[in-house]
Amino acid sequence: MIVEVPVKGYFNENCYFYIDDETKHGFLIDPGAEAKRLLKLISDKGWNIEKILLTHGHFDHTGAVNEIRAALGIPVIAHKRADQYLLDGYMNLSAECGSSIIIGGVKYADDGDILSLEANPNFKLKVIYTPGHTTDSIIFYSERDLVAFVGDTIFKGCIGNYKYPGGNFKNLQDSIIDKIFTLPDETMLLSGHSDKTSVGIEKQRYGL
């Protein structure tokens, strides 16, 4: 089960719950704001969130992490280069927006890692490294459900922004073509700031 929850902080952002229907255990991906609302939803639904997963370290994707992590006592997983953003208010853009959001003590993931639920090891996501929007950008791909949580690497109808610190157009383009567009065409792409799309639809836009 996938539950999209748009949250509003300094920016609007889509966070996601990826829940195993059988066990009600799951992952929380990119909780950008409204920690109390997200915690109430978890409680109301009776979900057991095992891990918080971050597609990258920008503050609009991490703003609720500290409060939720403290409340649930669960680990936060990010790319091994994420501290460059998570520990620096300038790099994660929070300092430019009137706050300083710092996320320490995360656990690291790398390209090709598999993140599984303890309650059901067959319920899992593959980490795919997709630099370009940031140097720590990753996506989380489920082969079973043909869905990818893509953060800000690609949106419906456009690519991610590569003009923030650490962004690079060539890297972003390579990540989209070599990593995302090699997934099955039916794969649903769930991003941080747009409606859902699919690999096949976005490949058509590129003429591929």
Side-chain angles (χ1 to χ4, degrees), residues 39-68:
L39 287 167
K40 184 177 187 304
L41 180 61
I42 293 167
S43 176
D44 289 348
K45 296 292 187 181
W47 294 334
N48 188 321
I49 303 304
E50 292 192 8
K51 299 177 179 72
I52 297 170
L53 310 182
L54 302 179
T55 60
H56 63 291
H58 282 161
F59 83 104
D60 56 321
H61 292 249
T62 69
V65 164
N66 284 331
E67 188 172 343
I68 293 174

Side-chain angles (χ1 to χ4, degrees), residues 10-11 56-62 84-86 88-101 133-134 152 161 163-166:
Y10 192 91
F11 301 107
H56 63 291
H58 282 161
F59 83 104
D60 56 321
H61 292 249
T62 69
Q84 178 184 4
Y85 299 87
L86 298 175
D88 186 327
Y90 169 74
M91 291 293 290
N92 69 38
L93 308 180
S94 62
E96 303 294 310
C97 297
S99 62
S100 182
I101 295 176
H133 176 62
T134 60
D152 291 356
N161 190 322
K163 296 183 179 179
Y164 295 126

Side-chain angles (χ1 to χ4, degrees), residues 44-178:
D44 289 348
K45 296 292 187 181
W47 294 334
N48 188 321
I49 303 304
E50 292 192 8
K51 299 177 179 72
I52 297 170
L53 310 182
L54 302 179
T55 60
H56 63 291
H58 282 161
F59 83 104
D60 56 321
H61 292 249
T62 69
V65 164
N66 284 331
E67 188 172 343
I68 293 174
R69 173 171 56 178
L72 301 181
I74 57 176
V76 179
I77 312 293
H79 186 257
K80 64 180 183 179
R81 300 186 68 174
D83 281 349
Q84 178 184 4
Y85 299 87
L86 298 175
L87 301 179
D88 186 327
Y90 169 74
M91 291 293 290
N92 69 38
L93 308 180
S94 62
E96 303 294 310
C97 297
S99 62
S100 182
I101 295 176
I102 302 299
I103 312 293
V106 304
K107 296 182 181 296
Y108 303 120
D110 203 356
D111 188 51
D113 287 353
I114 302 296
L115 305 176
S116 302
L117 291 181
E118 293 180 11
N120 181 1
N122 292 319
F123 194 87
K124 56 194 175 184
L125 291 165
K126 181 179 181 180
V127 177
I128 301 175
Y129 182 46
T130 54
H133 176 62
T134 60
T135 57
D136 72 327
S137 289
I138 52 180
I139 69 172
F140 302 104
Y141 170 61
S142 167
E143 182 178 10
R144 186 190 78 166
D145 290 327
L146 288 178
V147 63
F149 302 91
V150 297
D152 291 356
T153 295
I154 188 170
F155 303 117
K156 182 180 181 180
C158 68
I159 66 173
N161 190 322
Y162 52 87
K163 296 183 179 179
Y164 295 126
N168 181 285
F169 172 72
K170 177 65 165 57
N171 290 343
L172 183 63
Q173 189 174 54
D174 289 347
S175 290
I176 291 170
I177 293 173
D178 297 338

